[in-house]
Each structure stands twice: as C-alpha cells, then as structure tokens.
Amino acid sequence: MSDSDAVNRVQRAGTLVTEEFDARRRRAPDFAAENEALHGLAQTLNAADGVMLQTLVDTALKLCNAGSAGISLRERDASLPHTFRWVALSGHCADLVGHLLPPDNSPAGVTLQLGSPQLFAFPKRQFDCLAPITHEVTEELVVPVPGTPEPWGALWVMSYDEHLHFDSEHRRILTSLANFTCAALTIRQAKADAEARAEEAEAARNALAVVEAHQVDFIATLGHELRNPLGPIDSALAAAQKLAAGNPSVLSALALANRQVRQLKRLVSDLLDASRIRHGKLSVRHAYGLLGDIVKDAMAAVTDEAERRHQQLQVTLPEYPVTVFADAARLTQVVSNLLSNAVKYTPSGGEIRLRVDAPDPNTIPAHDSTPRDAIVTLRDNGMGIAPGMLPHVFDMFAQSPSARTRSDGGLGIGLSVVRYLVNAHRGEIAVVSEGEGNGTEVTVRLPIVCRSQLDHAAATTHGMSPARILLVDDNADATEALAMLLTLDGHEVRRAQSGPEALSIVESFTPDIALIDINMPGMDGHELARRLREHAQCSSTRLVALTGYAGTMPDSTAIESGFDHRLIKPPSLEDLAYVLRG
C-alpha cells in the first residue's frame, strides 16, 4: 500500500480527526511544569541515548496526561528501508520496545506523509501494526520529529480513556518535545560521526564544536520560549503586589508565587546568558559606583532564603566607602550567584561568611590611575566539592552527582557565567574545597578600585521619572502586564499590537520612549522604526528594539534601522531606566 493510499483510507474511515483540534476547548498552559521538564531534559543531553529518549517519552506521558507515549524512529538498516521502530515507550505499552511498523500503513507513516501533527480516533481499527497493544486506543496524537534530509520519525501519545481527549495545548507541548528530540538526535548523530572520524583529530574537534554550538543555540531557543510567558507573569505579579497593599493574606500568596517565578527567571536567565557568551553578546557597562552597594544588593537577593533555612550569614565590609569602576549590575550578579550557591548547598543552620578587602581609595595618589584589587572571599561549611569535580566547576552544564539529585540544583551554568564576567573585569576567580562535606571557599580578585569619585552612597534603586511610553508587541499578554506595572509606577503608557496601530497612536500621542518588538507579522520592528523616524513629533523619541533571541541581531543592525538601543525581552525596569538616562 502506498503512502497516499493509506492517507485516503483513514480519511474515508473517519479515523483522521485532526480538524477537531479547532473545535475543542484548549486547556490552560502549565509553564511551571514545562520548566521543570526542561530542567530534567537539559540534564540528559550528555546521558546515554536510551536515558535521554526514555526521559523524553516519560515527559510527554506526564505533560499530556496520556496512557502511553513513545518515539517511532526510521530504521537506518538498508534491509528495512523507512520502517519504523518503537525505540522508547512509556505507559501501558512500555513492554513493546523494539516493535517494527510498516513505512506506509502506520500512524507515523501517515503523519509524515501529511507533514504536520495528526489526531487519530480508534487507530487500532485501521492499523494492523497496533494489534500488539492490548488496550483499546481511543485517540492517538502523532507529531513529526523533524530532521535533515528527512524526518527522524514521530513522537506520539495515546489515550485509552474515552473521556480524555487531546487538544491544541497537547499538540503544542508535543511539538516542542519533538523539536527537542530532533536537536538531541542531531547532537547524538553528530557525536557518533565525530567518534567515527577519531583518527582525524582536527575533523573530530570541529565536529564536537558544531555539536556544542547546536546545543547552546537550542537551549537559547528554549530559554526564549520560556521567557515569553515569564515576562507577563512577572509584570502581573509585581502589579498585583502593588494593588494588594494592605491585604496580608493576598500579599503572602503573591510572595510565594513571586519566589517561584524568581527561581524560573534565574534558570531562564542562565540559559540566555550561556547563549550570549557563545555569541559574544554578554557585555559589561563600566561606571563609577560603590562596592558596598553592590554587595548589599547581592545580599538582598539571598537574605530571605538564608533566613528561611536558618543559616548564619555574616558579611564583613571595609569601614570606608570603596569606589570602583565596573559594571555594578554584572558584579551584583557575580556576588549573588556565589551567595546563592552557598545558601543552596549549605545545610540548615550552617554558616556562610563573606569578606570584602580593598584599599581605601582616598589613599591612592591623584595622578595614579592604576586600578587596585578588591578581594571577595566567600566561605561556607556546606556540602563541598569532590576532588574529581573541582577542575570542572566552571565548565558549562557541569554538576556533581549530588547536585543533580536536588530539585533546586540549577542547570550547571551559573559558575561558567560568573567566570566570564570576572574575566571581563580582568579579574581572577578560584574555588577551593577539601572534599564533599568539608565546605567551599571562593576567592574573586578584581582590579576595579579607583580613587574616590563619589561623595556619598549611590542609590541602589533604579527608579525613573514619569515618562510617556509606547509598547509595540503582537503578544497582548506581554504588553498588558508590562503596561499595568509601568502605569502603577506613574508612567503614561499606550499599547499597540502592530506597526500600523502604533503609527496611528503617535498621531495624537508623542512618546518619550517606544519599545518595539522586532519580530512582528506584517510590518516588522525595523520598518516601524524607520516610519517613526519620519514623524517630526517623534524626533526626540528613544526607539528601543526588543528581541527575544540573544545574539540574533547585532547592535549595528538595530542602529541602522533607526533604533537607539537594543534590549532582550522582557525588559526590566532597570533596563528601561538605563535607556532613559541615555
């Protein structure tokens, strides 16, 4: 039977019911569950193939609430051209791993013939290859696993419950997992090819470099997809906390949600920072500031968690103000990341000590511009680091076995980013531990201390004077949440979901700043920026390009389109304050 014959047969039989997706009510997304799944999947990228594929189908089974889940891959054996094999299964048919299916008369074959996700009703009645499944299958959702030059196969879930129907949200989740499967299989194949050419050392090194690039780029894509919903959630929570002032019970619930969102944001930020490092886009902005303010801001990020764990957190700062020339935000990220690791891996009641040593800037001769060293030393009596792991603590995605078992263990990216930022400040970082159970000591040496330029402590908040702001983004949830937060902070905000709508708004509203999404359908952000520059009333408007992908648009490209700045979505209030200050 040919592919087209199989498609026509199931269509005539009423087995192919993909159009029902549009008529079914879509369930609400569960981004927290997806982020947890991402965490688990990311940790399997370097595991054995069987572990990675099994984790994928287990994830599909759980997120889709299915009865069975599996991956059907094309056989590479020349004697079985295009035949499918069930290589990983979960649920009721888990004992059928290795089952072969024909290339045409099977759900995977029909799906790949049609080239898009398909929904089948009672597929066992039309496909003899499903006969080994003992249960009656009421529905099967099948999604192609893309590949080059041809698809790898298909990812599918089955329902045995006549009351459980798959909807478009299940299709979105399964499509995302299928894309992950493609990337993981591509990485696996690239690694296999590199190993096969082991005798050609240079070729093998190049192949592994390509694998790493695919991995980092793919994880950056996942980070972007997660950051899109996190932006409006974070803005909405901040707005809700302002609106709920005076209501302790509501504020308590919002505080719990906010802590979880902060954890999600940190994971996503680590993913995006990894991509920015890969593309050379993780930059630093040097300015004069006070070292004490940097440390205090970093402390504020971990104090609540340390108190919740009943840990003793001691900080020793110089008695005199220390002026530094550095990127305060990035150094705060360095110190808070180190403190967060110490809090995370120190048991309840443990001790964490942070000490900062630096020369008094007033003792530096006026004619001497050589930066002096600031030394940050952090000691804890936590779980420590095994000797074999110590040389790899700064490697991307490196984690000890004990860290992988923790629900808050992170993705193994943070210290790699920390080392990059320390090096960007021409500094050095060292990690010392006498082994597991014996605590850890981290020393950061930074040549950033300069002669005093400040007469008093710099403000640690990032407030903005009220401004007229135009938000342009086709994502309605993102603009609504950010607009609500900015309005509560005293700004006058207008929203547009397309370029033409934005041009209509500026006829009667002159913004001080316009935040414009680059990737909009129809009139994209580049064209809108050029059109706004043609309006006389927008001559002093600061145009800010918003992009969700780190490294995809050079700053020079944004400037050529008429933009003054470029920010990663979603922009923080600190980013906006920086832009308004010019």
Side-chain angles (χ1 to χ4, degrees):
M1 180 181 294
S2 68
D3 289 349
S4 58
D5 289 340
V7 171
N8 292 333
R9 180 174 62 82
V10 294
Q11 286 177 334
R12 288 195 305 269
T15 301
L16 198 61
V17 292
T18 307
E19 69 278 358
E20 291 190 17
F21 276 129
D22 296 330
R24 292 179 179 178
R25 181 178 180 181
R26 179 176 181 174
R27 69 183 182 91
D30 187 350
F31 293 118
E34 287 188 59
N35 184 76
E36 182 180 359
L38 164 67
H39 187 186
L41 289 171
Q43 291 181 329
T44 66
L45 285 175
N46 292 322
D49 296 340
V51 174
M52 181 269 294
L53 293 175
Q54 188 60 47
T55 302
L56 271 164
V57 297
D58 290 343
T59 300
L61 185 81
K62 179 179 178 181
L63 292 181
C64 294
N65 195 27
S68 292
I71 297 177
S72 305
L73 294 186
R74 293 185 187 273
E75 276 291 279
R76 302 298 177 178
D77 188 342
S79 64
L80 299 170
H82 302 299
T83 300
F84 296 102
R85 183 186 296 274
W86 284 349
V87 296
L89 299 173
S90 185
H92 292 305
C93 58
D95 58 343
L96 297 176
V97 171
H99 179 58
L100 293 175
L101 297 89
D104 48 7
N105 192 22
S106 64
V110 170
T111 298
L112 296 190
Q113 171 70 11
L114 295 174
S116 62
Q118 300 298 322
L119 182 65
F120 300 88
F122 299 98
K124 282 184 62 178
R125 301 177 185 179
Q126 295 297 323
F127 298 105
D128 294 337
C129 60
L130 302 183
I133 301 175
T134 57
H135 295 73
E136 178 63 44
V137 181
T138 58
E139 282 192 354
E140 181 178 9
L141 171 59
V142 187
V143 173
V145 176
T148 302
E150 61 182 3
W152 287 93
L155 176 64
W156 49 264
V157 289
M158 292 180 179
S159 171
Y160 306 107
D161 183 350
E162 63 182 10
H163 301 294
L164 174 62
H165 299 288
F166 299 120
D167 58 25
S168 56
E169 176 63 11
H170 295 108
R171 178 175 59 186
R172 183 190 69 81
I173 291 173
L174 211 62
T175 299
S176 178
L177 292 176
N179 289 334
F180 185 100
T181 306
C182 168
L185 292 174
T186 301
I187 291 172
R188 182 187 71 169
Q189 187 63 46
K191 287 182 177 179
D193 292 342
E195 292 170 358
R197 299 191 303 270
E199 295 181 0
E200 304 174 17
E202 186 63 29
R205 283 194 293 269
N206 292 338
L208 290 173
V210 171
V211 168
E212 180 185 357
H214 278 306
Q215 178 173 312
V216 173
D217 289 344
F218 173 70
I219 289 177
T221 302
L222 288 178
H224 165 71
E225 294 297 335
L226 285 170
R227 188 165 184 165
N228 268 344
L230 275 178
I233 291 172
D234 190 33
S235 298
L237 278 175
Q241 286 176 315
K242 291 178 179 291
L243 295 171
N247 191 327
S249 59
V250 175
L251 287 173
S252 177
L254 290 174
L256 174 63
N258 204 34
R259 286 196 297 272
Q260 297 305 312
V261 168
R262 281 202 304 268
Q263 174 69 2
L264 295 178
K265 286 175 64 180
R266 182 186 173 195
L267 291 173
V268 173
S269 293
D270 282 350
L271 290 172
L272 293 176
D273 279 346
S275 177
R276 292 177 190 132
I277 290 175
R278 177 74 177 81
H279 291 284
K281 290 289 184 179
L282 192 61
S283 59
V284 295
R285 303 166 176 169
H286 289 79
Y288 290 105
L290 290 176
L291 184 58
D293 289 342
I294 293 171
V295 174
K296 290 173 184 176
D297 285 349
M299 288 285 297
V302 301
T303 299
D304 288 346
E305 184 65 14
E307 291 178 351
R308 189 179 70 82
R309 295 174 182 246
H310 306 290
Q311 294 168 339
Q312 301 178 39
L313 185 55
Q314 301 178 12
V315 179
T316 303
L317 295 172
E319 297 180 355
Y320 40 81
V322 177
T323 301
V324 296
F325 186 67
D327 187 323
R330 289 304 187 183
L331 284 192
T332 300
Q333 181 180 354
V334 167
V335 180
S336 64
N337 190 293
L338 297 177
L339 281 169
S340 179
N341 281 346
V343 170
K344 187 186 304 179
Y345 298 117
T346 298
S348 178
E351 295 183 358
I352 301 170
R353 298 181 180 179
L354 177 71
R355 180 180 180 86
V356 178
D357 295 293
D360 186 345
N362 290 317
T363 64
I364 299 176
H367 62 277
D368 190 348
S369 61
T370 304
R372 266 56 172 185
D373 287 349
I375 303 173
V376 179
T377 306
L378 181 64
R379 296 186 180 92
D380 65 62
N381 61 352
M383 62 189 300
I385 303 172
M389 185 65 192
L390 203 56
H392 306 288
V393 292
F394 296 114
D395 293 349
M396 194 74 74
F397 307 112
Q399 286 184 308
S400 66
S402 55
R404 296 191 190 103
T405 63
R406 299 173 61 93
S407 61
D408 58 354
L411 299 176
I413 297 174
L415 281 180
S416 179
V417 175
V418 164
R419 181 176 64 173
Y420 180 92
L421 293 175
V422 170
N423 290 342
H425 285 84
R426 301 183 182 277
E428 300 175 352
I429 182 171
V431 178
V432 177
S433 176
E434 296 182 0
E436 292 185 317
N438 293 311
T440 303
E441 177 176 308
V442 182
T443 303
V444 178
R445 183 182 294 271
L446 298 164
I448 55 175
V449 179
C450 55
R451 185 171 175 80
S452 181
Q453 300 286 331
L454 304 176
D455 296 327
H456 55 79
T460 58
T461 60
H462 303 278
M464 293 180 285
S465 300
R468 295 160 64 88
I469 300 176
L470 174 62
L471 304 179
V472 189
D473 195 326
D474 59 316
N475 186 329
D477 287 342
T479 56
E480 180 179 0
L482 183 56
M484 183 185 301
L485 180 58
L486 291 170
T487 300
L488 289 171
D489 272 355
H491 303 287
E492 185 178 355
V493 183
R494 296 288 188 277
R495 292 183 290 149
Q497 289 185 246
S498 67
E501 185 180 358
L503 292 173
S504 176
I505 289 175
V506 298
E507 294 295 336
S508 57
F509 176 79
T510 303
D512 299 310
I513 180 173
L515 306 176
I516 302 172
D517 183 28
I518 290 297
N519 297 312
M520 293 187 294
M523 183 186 298
D524 66 11
H526 296 291
E527 182 180 352
L528 175 58
R530 288 189 288 267
R531 297 279 292 274
L532 288 175
R533 285 301 181 211
E534 296 173 359
H535 282 255
Q537 65 269 34
C538 294
S539 60
S540 60
T541 299
R542 291 188 180 276
L543 302 184
V544 181
L546 297 181
T547 176
Y549 292 93
T552 58
M553 181 182 68
D555 292 332
S556 58
T557 302
I559 293 172
E560 290 171 3
S561 299
F563 288 105
D564 299 293
H565 301 277
R566 180 180 74 103
L567 296 177
I568 300 297
K569 294 173 62 178
S572 66
L573 293 182
E574 290 83 357
D575 289 337
L576 297 181
Y578 177 82
V579 167
L580 284 179
R581 289 195 301 267

